[in-house]
Amino acid sequence: MTAAPGRRSSTFTRLLRHGFTDALAAERLLDTAELAPLREDPVLLDALGATADPDLALLGLVRLLEAQPEPGARRELLDTLISSKPLRDRLLGVLGASTALADHLVRHPDDWQALVMYEAHDLHPGVEEFEAGLAEATDPVSLRVAYRRCLLSIAARDVCGTTGVAESAAELADLATATLRAALGIAGAAAPEDVALCRLAVIAMGKCGGHELNYVSDVDVIFVGEAVEGADETKAVRAATRLASHMMRICSETTVEGSIWPVDANLRPEGRNGPLVRTLSSHLAYYQRWAKTWEFQALLKARPVAGDLDLGAEYVAAVQPLVWKAAERENFVPDVQKMRRRVVENIPAAEVDRQLKLGPGGLRDVEFAVQLLQLVHGRADTSLRSGTTLDALKALAAGGYVGRVDAAQLDEAYRFLRSMEHRIQLFRLRRTHLVPEDEAELRRIGRSLGLRTDPVAELLREWKRHATVVRRLHEKLFYRPLLDAVAQLATGEARLSAEAARERMVALGYADPASALRHLEALASGVTRKAAIQRTLLPVLLGWFADSADPDAGLLNFRKVSDALGKTPWYLRLLRDEGAAAENLARVLSAGRLAPDLLMRAPEAVALLGDGDGGGLEPRSRAHLEQEILAAVKRADGAAQAVTAARGVRRRELFRTAAADIVGSYGTEEQAAEADQGALVDQVGGAVSDLTAATLAGTLRAVVRDGWGDDLPTRFAIIGMGRFGGHELGYGSDADVLFVHEPRDGVEEREASQAANKVVSEMRRLLQIPSADPPLLIDADLRPEGKSGPLVRTLTSYAAYYRRWALTWESHALLRAEPVAGDEDLGRRFIELIDPLRYPADGLADEAVREIRRLKARMESERLPRGADPKLHAKLGPGGLSDVEWTVQLLQLRHGAAEPGLRTTRTRQALAAARAAGLIGDEDAAILDEAWVLATRVRNAVMLVRGRASDTFPMEPRELAAVGRYLGYGPGHAGDMLDAYRRTARRARSVVDELFYGVSER
């Protein structure tokens, strides 16, 4: 029958209405001899329209009919198809969802009979039923055919909705169990002499062990072997290894019927480098001594499935006590969370948004969260010891370890994501977890999940919704019940017991769980808006605190800030609405003492953390700082009030600098840690130096105005020295300076000198008055004659002294001299005065070089603190700051007159200039730069962590771990940090020995 030209046939229209996308091709298939009698049959069209892909189902049906061996078989299939709704739904459902199973039916055209009818026990088959289905398999090929026949029945029940996703996953795991047993039987039949020597147990791991297998997945196993009575153990283990290897090949190798699935034994002790089969005692020895946290996490799902089941049961009984002690291991929670992050980081960038399993908000997030809670609380509560994710989640909710609403949402999301995964894999029976990009494939998946109005849009919307739920809940899952336990808000909800809450806090790394829980109670209890917002924030904050070296301090500091600002509307709004603010605050509060101490003195500085693009933490320019401080000085009533205002700005800006440094060093969830360590060092050094200069400028203005009005009787300039002049100040550095003045016209030198000295004395006093703001210590010991010389000199006096008395060390010290405050013209003329001294036209005489070397050697021997480990002293130790700086400065003294690039007060700039001028090789320059940056970072870290300056690594373990965290070392890697420092310093000292001391033994 052909439609009139220009008009569509009624069949064409009906096909479109039933969900066919290529109605013309469908019409042609319906016109084939096999289906012609049923072309107009509404039963067939309705059944095809109910499938995931009607076009695919119709094509598969035609192929199956064509594959029937003779006409009578075709008639039997068609008659049964039309008369039996169960067969119609199952067969067409499979054909519309899986080209791979359609191919199997075409190769084995009688296998459709397996779908005709089900007895009651067929609806939920177990291992025994599947073993019966595989019983006739005697070789790898026949095993594959029997396996696919069983798989066909599972898929039919799945796509028709007879079984849910959890039941289908359990059936797939049972089929895998039966298949492993059959494969081991085939391997044993081929080597009876090996069977006679050994006992071999196959332990299922991963999703097979957890009774939640996918359609196509590696089947993870561990093998345990023992000798039979009277047999030699070594020979028995070899025999067991041969059997295990053969069993794996039977399942994994490709034949004319394809493969079943890979059997993966890499979860065994030592992974692929370890023996395939071990005895039980060998397994235990490894787990007791060498196993990592993730290996115990994997053992959660261990289940004996094949071979000697008694031996398998012994293995599980032996390892289980070790599994439930895993949470007592140091850094347990960070280790698990770090492994999860590493999985995400290893996903190719092009795939991360399509990853159903491993991506953020994917299946692995649910599984990791559930397993983490099981390991923490399963020690005391045996009801949690299930290898099946959804069963464990249900038990966690029943015990109050997870909120019921959270558990229900995660259960729903997990079932949806697993259903998507099943449908994706079922199509071609290929192992994949990527959501396809092809619209036809997305349409098929959406329809298979019951989304029929707009399958593609609905599928993507539902997937993103569930992924968002998982992403939001998977971290909070660990922390939310802690709040419920202390806040006592949700009625009718099972809560964590006090002991369970304590266990969870210990697992998170809290040293004082009782105090931590009291802080949580204070923060989360009540019905105020403040408490409600904090209950929302705390689950995430607790995770960030746990990622630090001192969670206790983080939580305590958050309570202090909250107590100070909790009634301030902008504070709560800032944390709630600006994603960066809460995480930045958590990082800052738990990274050490300095930043929280600065914040507690003026908690409103927390607003600096809130600029979502990081702009709030950008260091401000020196001009901007001076402008603000001078304006505050102008408004103040007297010098004391003016300097108090200047010190307040300094405190706030120190906090800004420290916070930016911490956030840059730790990184955030949105932005990785700053990879360029030198950039962080330069940022801190520049910001603190600019801030110190601006503070001195404001203090100078305040003192002059208070004592003399607008004009001091003498021009006055402050010259920065040392790290100050080099723009390399750290958080705890003093301000090394020289003071220079020049009497104004008509002013007696004595009067000018008295005024200048009074200015210096008053500046030092005001900047050190005890207050809520950190003091700024002024150190003028680098002046001519040192502590014995006058504190302030005229420019003429400096010229006379340097012309007649200047020592080598003074020329050396002047390399860092730079005007920082006061009269700009006077400062410029001072630099003109000293340039010939620090950059001598003829370089350094040999005697001067020897003198500098002697001074350096004496400093190393005399100034190193007693008892300090020289190799770990960041300033005076070998390869430390002093070594690098003196080496660079010797090059400046020798070559500064000839090489303009060397005329800088900054160490890294001078080193780069020396390299550019060919005075030092590229490799040597890189070694010195790396050592100098690392030593500076160590000093900054110690100050941030301890709140007081030191040049050595702290001894206290938590403080040492915090320094490591700042430097990029994870929990438990403080030893690696110290080794790396020694290695870097040792390489630098080798360069220093050659370039500074002239020792060429490299």
Side-chain angles (χ1 to χ4, degrees), residues 484-540:
D484 293 339
V486 296
Q488 303 286 309
L489 285 172
T491 56
E493 174 109 24
R495 294 190 182 92
L496 283 181
S497 66
E499 180 58 23
R502 190 198 70 80
E503 284 178 342
R504 198 171 293 194
M505 297 303 281
V506 170
L508 284 168
Y510 286 84
D512 186 355
S515 293
L517 287 168
R518 284 197 299 274
H519 298 323
L520 282 182
E521 182 175 6
L523 288 162
S525 295
V527 294
T528 63
R529 178 173 174 271
K530 170 188 171 184
I533 292 177
Q534 289 180 163
R535 281 194 297 275
T536 302
L537 290 168
L538 276 167
V540 184

Side-chain angles (χ1 to χ4, degrees), residues 178-337:
T179 306
L180 289 170
R181 292 179 183 180
L184 187 57
I186 294 171
E193 67 283 0
D194 286 342
V195 175
L197 279 175
C198 67
R199 302 168 65 197
L200 175 64
V202 183
I203 311 297
M205 304 287 285
K207 282 190 161 51
C208 185
H211 224 226
E212 51 188 14
L213 197 60
N214 301 328
Y215 276 102
V216 188
S217 173
D218 290 358
V219 171
D220 296 311
V221 298
I222 284 176
F223 296 106
V224 187
E226 294 287 350
V228 300
E229 189 173 350
D232 177 76
E233 183 178 285
T234 302
K235 291 181 179 178
V237 170
R238 287 177 185 161
T241 301
R242 287 191 292 272
L243 288 171
S245 298
H246 192 187
M247 186 203 82
M248 293 173 71
R249 290 196 303 275
I250 289 169
C251 295
S252 305
E253 286 181 347
T254 301
T255 69
V256 292
E257 287 290 339
S259 67
I260 301 176
W261 19 245
V263 177
D264 188 341
N266 288 336
L267 290 178
R268 66 187 184 269
E270 299 180 78
R272 65 180 69 237
N273 298 318
L276 183 64
V277 180
R278 288 176 183 257
T279 62
L280 179 56
S281 60
S282 175
H283 275 284
L284 287 176
Y286 173 84
Y287 287 125
Q288 288 166 347
R289 187 170 185 185
W290 303 110
K292 297 181 173 62
T293 298
W294 70 263
E295 293 177 278
F296 293 112
Q297 186 178 353
L299 285 170
L300 265 175
K301 295 183 178 293
R303 180 171 64 94
V305 292
D308 191 317
L309 296 181
D310 289 337
L311 177 58
E314 288 178 46
Y315 169 86
V316 171
V319 300
Q320 286 300 297
L322 302 176
V323 171
W324 302 114
K325 289 181 180 177
E328 298 172 6
R329 294 163 67 93
E330 188 176 0
N331 302 315
F332 164 71
V333 170
D335 278 353
V336 175
Q337 293 174 331

